[in-house]
Each structure stands twice: as C-alpha cells, then as structure tokens.
Amino acid sequence: MSQTLTATGSLLRFAARRDRVKLSIWVLGLAAFVPYMMVAYQTIFATPEDLAPIVGLLANPSLTLFTGPGYGVSADPGQLTHQIIFASVYWLYLLLFVALMNILLVSRHTRMEEQTGRAEIIRTSVVGRHAPLTSTLLLALAANVAVGVLIAGGLIAFDSDPSSSVLLGAGTAALGLVFTGVTTVTSQLSAFSSAGSGLAGAVLAAAWVVRGVGDMAAGPGEHGSWISWLSPLAWAQQTRVFYDDRWWPVGLLIGAAAVLMAVGFTLSARRDLGAGILQPRRGKATAPAWLRGPLTLALRLQRTQALWWALGLTLASLMYGSFTGAMVDAFTDLPDIFQQLMGGAEVALSGYLTLTITMFRIMIAIFAVIAWQKVVAEEVGGRAEPVLATDVPPASWMAGHLMVIAVVSIVLALVTSVVAGLFAGGVDGDYSLVGDAVAAAATGIPAILMVLALAAALHALAPRLVVFAWIPVVAGALIELFGDVMQLPGWARQVSPFEHTPAMPAEEFALAPLLVQSAVAAGLVAFALWRFSHRDIPSH
C-alpha cells in the first residue's frame, strides 16, 4: 500500500505551489464573504425593527428556493440576529461557491493533468499509482479546512457564538469535501476534463433543485421535507446553526465524502492513464457541409454551453419571477437601502423588475466571459492552429465566435426579460410591463457586448490576459448590487461597465450612454480583430 503512495508529499507541494495564487484567491475571497455580509447587515438592519420585514419575506415558500429552511427566522423579530439571517439566507450561496471551488480544483489536478499529458510525464518517475489523486485530495482538504477556519474566525470577530461559528465553518468545509468526492468520481468517468467537471456541476445543480423543491414543498412554517434530505446542501443547512446547533449532519457530510473518495480511488485503479471508465462514442468520419465555416464551427463549439446557460437562466427567471408578488407586498416595510436599490417605495413593482433585469444583465456578462474562455482554450489547446492553417483568416475565426456569443447573449437577455415581465404583469394585470422589461433588457445589451469585446481584445493581445476581463464584471456586480451599501464614491463606480446603463423601467431611457457603450464595444472588437490577425498563433 505504501508503494502506491510514493512521492505523495512531493506532488502535494508541487500542486500547492502551482495553485498558490489561484487557490489563495478562492480561499480568501470565500472567507471575506462573512465580514462583508456582517458589515452590510449592520448597515442595512441597524435596529431590530429593520429586521422585522425579513420574517414576512422568508415566510413565503417561494423564497425557500433561494435560501433554505430558515431556522430561527420565524421567531419573534426581537429575537432575530444578523447571524440567524446570514445562516438562513446567504450561507447557501457560500456553500455553492465552496462546492464550485472543489469541483474546479479536483478537475484541474486530476483529469486536466492527464488530458494535457503532464500526468504521463510525472508517472515516468518514481510515483505511486494513487499518489497524484491522494495529493489532490489532501490539497482540497487543506483548502476546505482553511475556508472553514477563516469563516468561523470571521463570525467570532463579529461577536457570534463561538460554538455556532465553528459549526458553520465545519459544515462549510464538510460540504466542500462532499463535492471533492463527487468530482473525484466524475473525473474517472470521462477522458475529458470538461465532461468530468460538467458532470460534477450537474450534480451540484441537481442538489440545488432537489433541496429547493423539498424546502418549498414543506409549506409555510415548516423546515424542509424528506425530499430535502436527498441533497447534501440540505444536510449542511440541517445543522440548524445559530438556532439549536446539531453536529451530526456534519458527520453525515464527512461520511458521504469518504465514501465518494473511496469510489474514486476504486475507479481510478480500474482504468488506464488518460482513459475514462465511459468510452467515448465514435464520431463521424467527415464533417457535414454546414460545419465547414468559422461561424458554424463557433456555433458547434458553443452550443452545449449556451443551451445549459439558457436552461439555467430561464429557470432562474421563473424562480425570481415567482417571488415578485411577495416582494412587492413587503416593499414598503423594507429598509431604505433596499428601496433605493429597487427604485423607491412608490414604484415597488417596476423597482423589483429593474433589480431582476440588472441581476440577469450581470449573469449574462458572466456567461460572455466564460464563453470567451472556451475560445481561448481552443487556441491554447492547439485546436485553433489546424483550422487557421487552412484558408480561414484569423479575423474570421475570431469574428465567428464573437458573433455567436453576442447573439446568444442577446437572446438570453430577451428571454429572461420576457419571463420576468410576465410575472410582474401578473401581479396587477398590467402586462405592458413585459414590453418595459424587454426594453430594459435591450438597454443593457451594449454593456454586455462591451464586456465581451474587452475579453476578445485581451485575448488578441495574449490568451493569458483574458482573466482580467473578470475585473469589470465582478466589480460591476458588487457596485450595482451593493454600491449603495458600501457607500462608494462616484469615481469608484465608474469601474462598472453597467454604471451608465439606464436602470429601466424605474428610470427614464437615455440614449447617449448606450451610444458611448456601443462605440467602445465596436472599437474593442476592431482592435481585437486587427491584433489577432497580426500575432503568432498560438501565443502565450
């Protein structure tokens, strides 16, 4: 057994060194979520009276799709605390990002290493068969423990109960380990890293849906149902942290993680290096006629990802829309900061619709950057070079991807706006709000295209620079959703690509900023096409 683990320590140190920046950003970013939210709560919910409307909001079964069972929020408003609100509302989103961190980490250090050929080079030296996977799991364990410790420490720093804080940190780390185990299994099934991480992501999405359906099916005043227990996300929330702390669900999470990891080791021993348990089906010997141009090739490469995003955003728009009525009913009782974010108490319905459209605008900008990273992978992975060695001009190849991603982004914006508008119109029978929602979504398209064009321009300079396209997107999301809470000065808000987009329908339409955004996007696209045609491919 010891021989199968030979060089585990060396591989662990090597993996930690390679991931020292990326993993540090993940860990510190997740840990910073706690003090940020606690400061925001102290600003928004400064008095017990400010917390009172939360009880009515969280009593709506539709909201449990987004939050969870909500232990403690049905108590007397005077007994509500910022810690209970955090655990009942926002902890779920922290769990989702911790799961995502683990999916990407394990996929990167297992299947991606084999797919690129690095694992084969390492195996030519004195390395045990299970050493690479073991070192990856140890790195994931260290990352999850670090996240759990920092989260617990952040809560304690804000006068939270120490035992409850440690329980929340432990539940977060244990949930992360479950998805370490999930990805360990899925990475053995397919020979491709995208398929392995995609399967793990599908498990995470299924866990979210099952938990949401189970919690919503329980009905008002209830805390989950038996359906909820089919999801590991619900296991973490069933610790009832800051309410009546229960540790045994953490043991359930750790046990599930151990079983999944054991299955992963078993599957790893049953396959060849570089292969998957599931054999890929044979492809066609020749491509169809419609696939012989740069535009249709881009469509073929982007279609699966685009379809999943379309499905996910449509479901999200249905969920956010279903909460419209409850949000409007509670609007006048919400703290002033919420009313400012949603356009003011006198325009509750259009204000909530504005906030919904803004959130989807940000999500679609995220899609645009992720979709462009797939284009970068085509070049870095060496798949673009054979295409460009033919008579396909580099500018046409890039333009095809730009056009496909831009069209998909526009369609996503319009579809989500129609769904949101239909729900808003159903509140008081005014279906003219559908047109208002579509107009609001259309005004956001230049900002989304500007983000896409920036990613393309950075790619044209060098593929490694595309990561900087995340800066305006992440900063823009924080500024648009939390800028008022953070009381940012006007000059700082200019970092957001969405800052000058008219906040319709709560605000009036303005043409000038849209013309400027469109001009900037066009300029960036022109530069990207020119620069990409004048540099070596591939380039790092």
Side-chain angles (χ1 to χ4, degrees), residues 501-526:
T501 299
M504 296 175 62
E507 294 181 0
E508 295 294 327
F509 173 76
L511 180 61
L514 304 186
L515 293 177
V516 173
Q517 290 173 336
S518 299
V520 171
L524 289 171
V525 167

Side-chain angles (χ1 to χ4, degrees), residues 174-215:
L175 187 279
L177 290 175
V178 168
F179 281 92
T180 295
V182 168
T183 316
T184 300
V185 173
T186 60
S187 294
Q188 313 306 320
L189 299 179
S190 173
F192 303 99
S193 62
S194 58
S197 56
L199 286 171
V203 173
L204 177 58
W208 165 274
V209 172
V210 170
R211 178 217 55 81
V213 170
D215 289 345

Side-chain angles (χ1 to χ4, degrees), residues 71 92 140 191 279 293 319 351 355 406 412 438 469 486 513 535:
Y71 288 103
L92 176 61
Q279 296 300 315
M319 290 189 292
L355 177 60
L412 290 177
V438 171
M486 296 185 289
R535 72 163 170 84

Side-chain angles (χ1 to χ4, degrees), residues 57 60 323-334 348 427:
L57 281 174
N60 189 300
F323 191 55
T324 303
M327 199 69 177
V328 170
D329 292 341
F331 193 71
T332 55
D333 296 325
L334 290 174
V427 173

Side-chain angles (χ1 to χ4, degrees), residues 52-358:
I54 297 297
V55 177
L57 281 174
L58 297 182
N60 189 300
S62 298
L63 190 61
T64 58
L65 285 169
F66 308 99
T67 59
Y71 288 103
V73 296
S74 59
D76 186 327
Q79 297 177 350
L80 278 178
T81 64
H82 297 142
Q83 288 79 6
I84 289 178
I85 298 300
F86 175 78
S88 300
V89 178
Y90 288 102
W91 186 27
L92 176 61
Y93 297 93
L94 183 59
L95 293 173
L96 289 173
F97 280 104
V98 169
L100 183 60
M101 176 189 76
N102 283 273
I103 290 172
L104 296 177
L105 186 154
V106 175
S107 179
R108 183 167 61 249
H109 287 283
T110 55
R111 180 52 67 182
M112 180 63 75
E113 291 295 286
E114 295 185 35
Q115 189 174 326
T116 57
R118 289 189 291 264
E120 189 173 3
I121 296 174
I122 291 174
R123 290 287 185 92
T124 59
S125 60
V126 184
V127 174
R129 180 175 181 82
H130 293 312
L133 182 55
T134 303
S135 64
T136 299
L137 297 184
L138 289 174
L139 180 63
L141 174 63
N144 284 289
V145 170
V147 168
V149 169
L150 290 174
I151 287 174
L155 287 168
I156 293 172
F158 282 87
D159 299 323
S160 304
D161 179 71
S163 61
S164 297
S165 301
V166 172
L167 175 57
L168 190 143
T172 304
L175 187 279
L177 290 175
V178 168
F179 281 92
T180 295
V182 168
T183 316
T184 300
V185 173
T186 60
S187 294
Q188 313 306 320
L189 299 179
S190 173
F192 303 99
S193 62
S194 58
S197 56
L199 286 171
V203 173
L204 177 58
W208 165 274
V209 172
V210 170
R211 178 217 55 81
V213 170
D215 289 345
M216 188 172 65
E222 299 296 327
H223 302 294
S225 65
W226 67 268
I227 301 175
S228 305
W229 285 94
L230 300 177
S231 168
L233 292 172
W235 302 351
Q237 292 182 309
Q238 288 294 332
T239 54
R240 301 181 182 180
V241 65
F242 294 115
Y243 179 64
D244 60 345
D245 298 351
R246 301 195 301 185
W247 277 89
W248 63 266
V250 175
L252 188 61
L253 289 166
I254 294 174
V259 170
L260 288 167
M261 291 177 193
V263 172
F265 274 108
T266 301
L267 295 177
S268 176
R270 292 177 177 271
R271 65 176 180 85
D272 293 331
L273 182 67
I277 297 294
L278 303 177
Q279 296 300 315
R281 63 180 177 86
R282 292 180 180 272
K284 294 181 179 180
T286 58
W290 65 268
L291 197 55
R292 294 175 183 173
L295 180 62
T296 52
L297 175 61
L299 178 62
R300 175 65 178 80
L301 293 172
Q302 296 287 346
R303 69 177 183 181
T304 302
Q305 179 172 250
L307 288 173
W308 279 112
W309 271 87
L311 177 62
L313 289 179
T314 301
L315 291 175
S317 63
L318 289 170
M319 290 189 292
Y320 277 100
S322 67
F323 191 55
T324 303
M327 199 69 177
V328 170
D329 292 341
F331 193 71
T332 55
D333 296 325
L334 290 174
D336 291 341
I337 193 70
F338 275 117
Q339 296 181 6
Q340 294 172 15
L341 186 62
M342 293 164 54
E346 69 279 3
V347 286
L349 188 55
S350 61
Y352 181 69
L353 185 58
T354 299
L355 177 60
T356 302
I357 297 297
T358 299

